[in-house]
Amino acid sequence: QVQLVESGGGLVQAGGSLRLSCVASGRTFSSYSMGWFRQAPGKERESVATITWIGRSTYYADYADSVKGRFTISRDNAKNTVYLQMTSLKPEDTAVYYCAADLDSHHGRMRTTDWSPDYWGQGTQVTVSS
């Protein structure tokens, strides 16, 4: 069982930045596949970014087309934490953002749209005003 706790959401103007954090429980965090999803009102939940282990201390990051070049996913294994740095935010980025994880360390260079995680955080609201 993995517990995920997100923080860092809030209200920001268009063009601004926010950083989301997610702390995960567990002793083998470095091998977890981690990522972020979001769900806007009236829309389906969509994958935003994933970061997966591909060997030794190397990780692979993948992004939804809608956020490429604006969002960056990263992780600090010493802190059991994954981050989502969001820049150049747009009103259409408004959503509840969910941290997600699974224990499979063999995803390789996985596309974020192909991921079905096993564990979810409670979500954090991001609102971008125009």
Side-chain angles (χ1 to χ4, degrees), residues 4-46:
L4 305 171
V5 179
E6 303 107 330
S7 60
L11 173 65
V12 64
Q13 288 188 333
S17 300
L18 278 176
R19 188 177 79 158
L20 306 182
S21 301
C22 172
V23 180
S25 64
R27 297 182 179 180
T28 58
F29 175 80
S30 62
S31 64
Y32 293 178
S33 297
M34 301 295 299
W36 294 89
F37 284 68
R38 69 184 180 186
Q39 187 167 20
K43 295 187 177 181
E44 293 187 356
R45 188 175 296 188
E46 64 172 345

Side-chain angles (χ1 to χ4, degrees), residues 24 60 65 70 73 78 84 89 97 99 102 118 127:
Y60 175 78
D65 289 342
R70 299 188 299 120
I73 188 170
L84 186 67
L89 283 161
Y97 284 71
C99 179
D102 73 36
D118 296 322
T127 303

Side-chain angles (χ1 to χ4, degrees), residues 79-91:
K79 297 181 178 180
N80 276 26
T81 302
V82 65
Y83 303 98
L84 186 67
Q85 178 68 49
M86 306 184 291
T87 63
S88 301
L89 283 161
K90 305 174 181 180

